[in-house]
Amino acid sequence: MEKTLSIVKPDGVKKNLIGEVMGRFEQKNLRIAALKMLKLSKEEAMSFYAVHKDKPFYDSLTDSISAGPIVVMVVEGNDAISMVRKLMGATNPKDAAPGTIRADFASDIEHNIVHGSDSEESASFEIPFFFSLLEIHPVVA
Ligand code: IDP
Ligand code: MG
């Protein structure tokens, strides 16, 4: 069992895709182990995406993710990190494989609907960024 952090970004919430994103995870036998809706401040967005602080898109990225409410979730299952990444599709929707969330719904690279941790290391930073241990409900086998 692996855990990953996924986010329905502000553009995904605006496009009414919360259920669509969670449904795609659940259809692949992934489980939602924790869930909440919130709005990040610019400062919180900057610390969440600190790994990108030297990138040219850091300012616009942190503006976009703090532009409206988001849905954050812990997703659990076999190979959850890579499964979620596969269901999301490539960062740039122009490169995303057909049938992925980003290919189906994203308008552009800055508005690409969904986030998913890219490694165990990032998941172990991103999950506790949003959730305490008491808020995570591991799946009972
Ligand atoms: P990921 O979300 O697929 O893991 P990252 O490289 O971690 O992609 O970048 C984080 C987010 O920053 C992306 O989802 C995208 O919204 C935005 N982003 C990444 N690369 C670019 C870029 O070249 N221009 C503008 N925005 C970008
Ligand atoms: Mg990333």
Side-chain angles (χ1 to χ4, degrees), residues 112-126:
N112 59 4
I113 308 289
V114 67
H115 168 87
S117 308
D118 67 4
S119 62
E120 277 185 49
E121 189 192 357
S122 61
S124 66
F125 166 76
E126 292 174 359

Side-chain angles (χ1 to χ4, degrees), residues 4-101:
T4 188
L5 191 280
S6 182
I7 305 177
V8 183
K9 296 183 179 185
D11 57 310
V13 172
K14 206 173 282 181
K15 287 180 168 168
N16 222 8
L17 295 170
I18 298 169
E20 176 73 32
V21 170
M22 291 199 291
R24 287 183 182 218
F25 296 161
E26 289 182 335
Q27 277 163 24
K28 291 294 179 187
N29 229 23
L30 296 165
R31 314 270 316 193
I32 311 298
L35 180 67
K36 64 176 98 169
M37 189 174 204
L38 55 93
K39 188 173 178 298
L40 290 175
S41 67
K42 173 77 173 176
E43 292 69 29
E44 290 162 344
M46 288 169 70
S47 44
F48 180 72
Y49 274 128
V51 66
H52 292 306
K53 66 180 182 330
D54 298 324
K55 308 271 172 62
F57 55 85
Y58 182 58
D59 191 49
S60 62
L61 168 63
T62 52
D63 276 347
S64 316
I65 197 79
S66 61
I70 59 176
V71 171
V72 293
M73 66 192 101
V74 176
V75 180
E76 189 183 47
N78 290 323
D79 299 319
I81 295 171
S82 61
M83 275 297 301
V84 165
R85 297 287 302 185
K86 193 173 163 197
L87 292 168
M88 284 163 50
T91 306
N92 190 336
K94 289 184 185 130
D95 304 325
T100 60
I101 295 166

